[in-house]
Amino acid sequence: MTTANNYASLCIAVTGLNANDNPGPGIAVIRALKAGLGDGIRIIGLSYESMEPGIYMHELVNKTYQIPYPTAGVAALINRIEEVHGKEKLDLIIPNFDAELYNFIKIAPQLQLSGIRTFLPSHAQLSLREKINLADFGKQNGFSIPADHKLFNLDDLNYAADILGFPLVIKGKFYDAYVAHTLDQAQKSFYQLGATWGYPVIAQQFIKGTEINIAALGDGNGNNISIVPMRKLYITEKGKAWAGVTIEDPKLIALANSFAKATKWRGGYELEIMRDANDELFILEINPRFPAWVYLTAAAGQNQPAALAKMAFDEKIEPFTGYQVGKLFIRYSWDHVVDIADFQQISALGEL
């Protein structure tokens, strides 16, 4: 059994190694794990594509294995994970993509039997915060959610435009969102998101205000172990935070605590909030995993990935009571130069 004294010997597998303009959380999670558990932990990357930069960041990732896409199903995933486990003796897996969580939750009991821990929400928890269910969830639990409409065809889009007006936010089932100011823009986004993520696409009421994200860690019993709010300072075309600063606001803490109480959430999550001119907090999205900016929680004094790892091994973690306000993150990109042989190896053999 892993104890507080030997977390440094853990072998932890992490997904989400991509780093485009909509980066995955994997590298931030790994940095936080190393900061909280020590550089001696062994990190195994789990990738879907050969061009995920984290594969080649050997100072952070000891070895990477490709795993099947979520559409391949649970049997393909468990077979691959067991193959990797046979080589690496995994202690813990931290998945970081929305679309893969259903399969990982499904195989979690089997992973446990093999000695691999996880700390994940249930399928019921995963479902209640999906974009197609978010408005109903808000009504049932007293949260302010922008009005939305599910889109399966252009008639649905025309109806949503009439009811919600412009500008209109068009969202993919799993990822991506675009603000449409005209019907032509809305139609283009509808087709693009439907082709990429499937249907329904969601049309959501546009709320003007200040964008705030909250990274939190639920204990599965209705409590939060950690809550760190961040105000976006720079936003990409896809609405992702490229810079942000930790802020202090009791209303945001109370909102996250209300969410944990209503859902008994287990694991990391992110609330995407819009504060309007009347100081009302609208929940735009609830992401069921750590955000890509989660390393800021470690820098601010509440290392959420490290706390999750300890909770996965049944250590009782006392809730954090404070964090540093005014901690700023600025994301940047650089050219990571590697040998083409590395790319060929991960592409051909599925491991590097």
Side-chain angles (χ1 to χ4, degrees), residues 7-28:
Y7 285 118
S9 66
L10 287 177
C11 181
I12 304 176
V14 178
T15 70
L17 305 181
N18 65 314
N20 53 19
D21 59 344
N22 184 12
I27 296 303

Side-chain angles (χ1 to χ4, degrees), residues 66-293:
Q66 286 193 331
I67 59 175
Y69 285 103
T71 51
V74 294
L77 178 61
I78 191 64
N79 288 339
R80 181 55 167 162
I81 295 298
E82 291 288 3
E83 183 180 351
V84 174
H85 184 48
K87 297 178 181 180
E88 301 292 345
K89 300 295 184 260
L90 303 176
D91 295 302
L92 172 65
I93 297 179
I94 303 178
N96 292 297
F97 284 136
D98 300 25
E100 69 186 357
L101 285 180
Y102 180 90
N103 288 349
F104 273 104
I105 294 168
K106 187 77 172 178
I107 69 172
Q110 191 170 344
L111 294 176
Q112 179 83 17
L113 292 175
S114 297
I116 306 172
R117 301 293 185 106
T118 58
F119 198 79
L120 298 169
S122 66
H123 281 137
Q125 292 168 330
L126 191 65
S127 176
L128 63 82
R129 39 64 42 202
E130 288 181 350
K131 294 177 185 179
I132 59 175
N133 298 326
L134 187 58
D136 290 339
F137 168 75
K139 291 176 184 176
Q140 293 168 6
N141 294 280
F143 296 112
S144 296
I145 309 290
D148 67 15
H149 191 71
K150 301 175 184 64
L151 310 178
F152 294 91
N153 52 51
L154 285 182
D155 288 340
D156 293 334
L157 177 58
N158 292 332
Y159 175 80
D162 288 340
I163 297 299
L164 303 176
F166 287 100
L168 186 63
V169 184
I170 309 297
K171 294 188 169 186
K173 186 176 181 180
F174 292 112
Y175 300 103
D176 295 340
Y178 300 98
V179 177
H181 294 271
T182 67
L183 187 58
D184 285 344
Q185 291 177 352
Q187 290 176 351
K188 180 180 178 180
S189 299
F190 168 74
Y191 284 124
Q192 181 177 338
L193 294 172
T196 303
W197 302 113
Y199 296 92
V201 173
I202 295 92
Q204 189 178 73
Q205 174 192 7
F206 178 83
I207 304 293
K208 184 178 181 180
T210 301
E211 293 191 47
I212 297 166
N213 288 20
I214 303 173
L217 175 60
D219 67 358
N221 297 312
N223 307 300
N224 284 309
I225 297 300
S226 169
I227 307 170
V228 178
M230 175 272 294
R231 180 166 59 87
K232 292 181 179 181
L233 297 179
Y234 188 87
I235 303 169
T236 69
E237 290 183 356
K238 292 187 176 182
K240 303 303 175 182
W242 209 253
V245 60
T246 56
I247 59 176
E248 183 178 13
D249 189 326
K251 286 184 66 174
L252 297 172
I253 303 299
L255 180 64
N257 281 329
S258 295
F259 173 79
K261 184 177 180 180
T263 61
K264 294 183 169 55
W265 192 268
R266 187 173 189 264
Y269 66 93
E270 178 190 32
L271 302 179
E272 297 190 16
I273 309 296
M274 187 70 77
R275 168 176 265 141
D276 72 3
N278 297 318
D279 201 34
E280 185 172 359
L281 300 176
F282 287 86
I283 299 179
L284 305 182
E285 290 187 20
I286 302 168
N287 297 315
R289 37 70 192 170
F290 289 131
W293 58 273

